[in-house]
Amino acid sequence: MSTIDKVLARIDTDLDNSLARLFELVKIKSISTDPAFNKDCRAAAEWLAKELTGIGIEASVRETDGHPMVVGHRKTGKAGPHVLFYGHYDVQPVDPLDLWDTDPFEPRIVTRPDGTKIIVARGSADDKGQLMTFVEAARAYLAETGDLPVDVTVLFEGEEESGSPSLHPFLTANKDELTCDLALVCDTGMWDADTPAISVMLRGLLGDEIIVRAASRDLHSGSYGGAAQNPNHIVASIIAGLHDENGHITLPGFYDGVIEMPEEVTKMWDELGFSSEEFLGEIGLKYPRGERDRQPLEHIWTRPTAEVNGMWGGYQGPGSKTVIPAEAHAKFTFRLVGDQDPDKIREAFRAYVRSKVPADCSVEFLGKEGSRALRLDFDMPALEKGRKALSDEWGKPAALIGMGGSIPIVGDFKRMLGMDSLLIGFGLDDDQIHSPNEKYNQKSFHKGIRSWARVLDALAND
Ligand code: BES
Ligand code: MN
Ligand code: MN
């Protein structure tokens, strides 16, 4: 038996233990955006550092101004590339809690009518299940051979779901320690349940929040209605004016830097046979929104967006209350592609908002720094190796896909450390990440572990 076959066999026999370990991690309520869970975030970091050290990747919990990082190292003394593995141990909040069938932090395995097994829990897919695929692959490799095929540094962060505020300073302060030949990132999805994928494009993200203020207090809508400004209406008109009737975003200069895909790429994607009926059908919808002259695969992969993630103002309780509120709020995010510049777009957005706010009213902005989109180099040698390893495991060629979501660190790896990333993940569109009843397919977990063992093996060999 070859080394890799022995490692794969060990992964298969150890699956139940791997699942038990994942459950331990998932039970820790590491919600990064809510300070009430600060202790849990630290507990998750400590659990991971101990686990890594236990398998032979010497790791420690490292302080930041926010939630701690976990950094681990394993030097092999072999000649091959040195890889950095990245994942995030933090998870999204669980609300609305009443839509969960069971406790989000009590993981369980459910067998669905078609026989597939799923692991249901917050973080099962995003990103604890995914990062554990790598840890378990490394564990099997080390246990079977006493070593890893390549030098490995591990970096786990606890603030990905809150925009990674501590990451810049941490990368700057530990540049030498963290700069490797290649980053491996497990936080993305497959093409479908049988087809593995490598994501070659990530959208950037820019968020802003507005508070529009009008009268100096809430008003009686009879005594003042018609005369006094209503901030809910101002916010509504700001939102309504962001898109034209063709779904295009109206901010001046917004599309500067948006790049059309080369024909070879669109051709490859055409061959994937994407069905927008299925894609939208699974979430109870039918008709694509977004730019009228574009396809849904473009809407989610290659085109920029403007979305309102939340809006509130005035009376929200039961029954009615005849009031004109003093202020109204909205939260916006823009997904960015190509070379779109988040700073310029923030300026254009704010100028637009100000132009819609009457002279006797005011607006406050609460946005943070944005991240740019990223396109990986299609000629990167590691891409072919990763692709081959995945194809060997899944018995099907790995697709090169775009990705609608954002992982801010991948851009920083490139721009701050000069390091390319290989984005391999085993999530599926129906995993319900960030939503109630998040799940990860047991098959994704099991074959994900096997896939990383193969990828590490392939990276070591020329
Ligand atoms: N894992 C996701 C990114 C993702 C989403 C990958 C969908 C594949 C498919 C990541 O954890 C995430 O949620 N990112 C946020 C970033 C934000 C909170 C700064 C996102 O994309 O909204
Ligand atoms: Mn994630
Ligand atoms: Mn996420």
Side-chain angles (χ1 to χ4, degrees):
M1 239 181 162
S2 66
T3 305
I4 183 67
D5 286 334
K6 284 189 208 150
V7 173
L8 295 174
R10 179 179 278 268
I11 289 169
D12 296 347
T13 11
D14 204 34
L15 180 62
D16 285 344
N17 295 323
S18 300
L19 283 165
R21 287 184 287 261
L22 171 60
F23 279 28
E24 277 184 37
L25 176 60
V26 163
K27 282 182 183 177
I28 305 172
K29 303 173 182 174
S30 47
I31 301 169
S32 60
T33 49
D34 184 344
F37 296 92
N38 283 358
K39 277 211 180 87
D40 305 79
C41 288
R42 180 168 299 275
E46 279 165 1
W47 187 92
L48 281 164
K50 187 159 170 264
E51 223 27 55
L52 287 172
T53 303
I55 64 174
I57 300 178
E58 200 61 45
S60 58
V61 172
R62 307 269 288 262
E63 297 308 321
T64 72
D65 287 342
H67 300 302
M69 307 275 177
V70 178
V71 180
H73 298 286
R74 173 85 187 195
K75 288 257 184 300
T76 65
K78 293 177 188 159
H82 181 170
V83 300
L84 174 86
F85 181 81
Y86 164 86
H88 63 92
Y89 65 76
D90 63 320
V91 300
Q92 285 274 327
V94 294
D95 63 287
L97 189 57
D98 54 323
L99 293 185
W100 284 80
D101 295 335
T102 48
D103 185 335
F105 294 106
E106 275 307 324
R108 65 209 164 96
I109 292 181
V110 176
T111 307
R112 296 195 291 196
D114 66 358
T116 53
K117 291 192 163 134
I118 57 174
I119 306 158
V120 183
R122 171 57 86 231
S124 58
D126 189 10
D127 182 40
K128 289 171 174 170
Q130 300 243 63
L131 73 81
M132 284 301 281
T133 58
F134 185 86
V135 174
E136 292 301 314
R139 178 194 307 277
Y141 224 110
L142 282 156
E144 191 60 41
T145 71
D147 210 349
L148 289 172
V150 290
D151 285 349
V152 169
T153 292
V154 174
L155 172 65
F156 292 141
E157 74 159 310
E159 298 185 330
E160 197 274 348
E161 301 292 8
S162 35
S164 305
S166 306
L167 207 66
H168 261 263
F170 192 78
L171 290 185
T172 309
N174 300 283
K175 196 166 184 245
D176 290 343
E177 184 184 356
L178 296 173
T179 303
C180 298
D181 299 308
L182 176 72
L184 305 175
V185 176
C186 191
D187 195 22
T188 54
M190 309 215 297
W191 168 250
D192 63 27
D194 307 308
T195 318
I198 301 182
S199 298
V200 290
M201 296 169 53
L202 286 177
R203 290 199 283 194
L205 187 65
L206 170 69
D208 212 352
E209 179 173 340
I210 62 171
I211 307 172
V212 173
R213 295 194 173 90
S216 53
R217 57 183 166 85
D218 283 6
L219 304 170
H220 188 292
S221 70
S223 313
Y224 292 92
Q229 289 289 354
N230 184 330
N232 278 339
H233 295 228
I234 299 168
V235 167
S237 103
I238 290 169
I239 293 172
L242 263 184
H243 296 88
D244 69 15
E245 65 282 6
N246 293 314
H248 295 287
I249 292 151
T250 55
L251 299 177
F254 182 76
Y255 289 95
D256 290 356
V258 174
I259 295 164
E260 292 298 332
M261 286 299 105
E263 214 177 302
E264 68 206 76
V265 175
T266 45
K267 198 168 153 267
M268 190 166 70
W269 290 349
D270 284 343
E271 285 163 10
L272 288 171
F274 179 78
S275 146
S276 63
E277 290 77 31
E278 256 176 58
F279 179 67
L280 293 174
E282 193 258 316
I283 51 166
L285 294 174
K286 257 192 190 145
Y287 311 111
R289 168 193 169 234
E291 295 168 286
R292 301 269 186 280
D293 49 346
R294 301 282 171 173
Q295 303 297 316
L297 216 46
E298 294 178 282
H299 291 149
I300 57 172
W301 285 358
T302 65
R303 301 296 295 172
T305 66
E307 297 284 350
V308 180
N309 304 115
M311 50 200 279
W312 67 100
Y315 184 61
Q316 330 250 323
S320 79
K321 182 183 183 199
T322 49
V323 68
I324 298 176
E327 59 183 55
H329 304 240
K331 286 179 189 278
F332 300 81
T333 49
F334 300 88
R335 297 280 168 181
L336 309 180
V337 302
D339 292 322
Q340 278 182 299
D341 179 344
D343 294 335
K344 281 201 178 137
I345 290 173
R346 185 196 293 107
E347 265 172 48
F349 172 68
R350 291 185 174 184
Y352 161 74
V353 170
R354 284 193 192 97
S355 77
K356 301 281 260 187
V357 175
D360 56 348
C361 300
S362 67
V363 57
E364 184 183 346
F365 296 96
L366 303 176
K368 287 183 279 179
E369 219 186 323
S371 66
R372 282 170 176 265
L374 194 77
R375 180 133 70 104
L376 299 182
D377 181 1
F378 283 42
D379 299 327
M380 187 169 74
L383 194 60
E384 262 326 295
K385 290 187 179 178
R387 228 177 158 185
K388 163 119 192 356
L390 287 175
S391 307
D392 286 349
E393 173 59 26
W394 296 81
K396 256 187 144 185
L400 299 184
I401 62 172
M403 196 188 86
S406 309
I407 309 174
I409 195 177
V410 180
D412 291 338
F413 281 160
K414 183 72 186 171
R415 283 179 278 268
M416 295 174 70
L417 308 184
M419 189 163 59
D420 283 319
S421 297
L422 201 53
L423 295 153
I424 297 179
F426 309 96
L428 298 174
D429 283 342
D430 68 355
D431 281 348
Q432 301 178 212
I433 61 171
H434 297 200
S435 301
N437 302 316
E438 176 177 351
K439 62 89 176 159
Y440 196 43
N441 285 28
Q442 186 173 311
K443 182 173 165 187
S444 287
F445 185 61
H446 182 192
K447 287 177 85 67
I449 301 172
R450 291 174 53 101
S451 298
W452 282 120
R454 290 187 193 267
V455 171
L456 288 177
D457 200 59
L459 290 172
N461 299 311
D462 274 317

